[in-house]
Amino acid sequence: DIAEKVVEHWKNAGKVGDNAPKYFIQTFGCQQNEADSERLAGLCALMGYTSCDDPDKADIILVNTCAVREHAASTLKKKRSR
């Protein structure tokens, strides 16, 4: 399992507890994006990462956004201008 391999890697590198690697998630979009970001946070935790509020201190930064709604809005604007 990949999560177990990542956890083992961080343990071998001495990155546990306060020294654990950190993640930062920035979410844009709808409620589904929020739910997806929660799932991503859970996966990060399974792999030994801890959450942080400062992207500059994060070992990994995840940006979760929705292109579907923007595309839908763009299509609607085009149709309205006809």
Side-chain angles (χ1 to χ4, degrees):
D1 176 59
I2 189 75
E4 291 172 355
K5 289 179 182 178
V6 173
V7 168
E8 189 64 29
H9 167 78
W10 290 126
K11 283 181 182 177
N12 289 337
K15 295 276 196 169
V16 293
D18 291 338
N19 292 325
K22 295 175 179 32
Y23 71 89
F24 175 83
I25 300 177
Q26 179 71 55
T27 306
F28 300 97
C30 63
Q31 290 174 332
Q32 183 60 48
N33 290 90
E34 293 290 338
D36 291 343
S37 289
E38 288 180 23
R39 291 180 67 199
L40 289 168
L43 291 171
C44 287
L46 282 173
M47 294 188 292
Y49 287 81
T50 58
S51 173
C52 74
D53 296 328
D54 183 354
D56 291 329
K57 294 180 181 175
D59 295 289
I60 185 171
I61 298 172
L62 302 168
V63 179
N64 183 15
T65 185
C66 180
V68 174
R69 291 197 179 213
E70 182 178 0
H71 178 70
S74 176
T75 302
L76 177 60
K77 287 178 185 177
K78 287 179 186 175
K79 288 185 178 187
R80 284 182 36 188
S81 65
R82 290 184 192 173

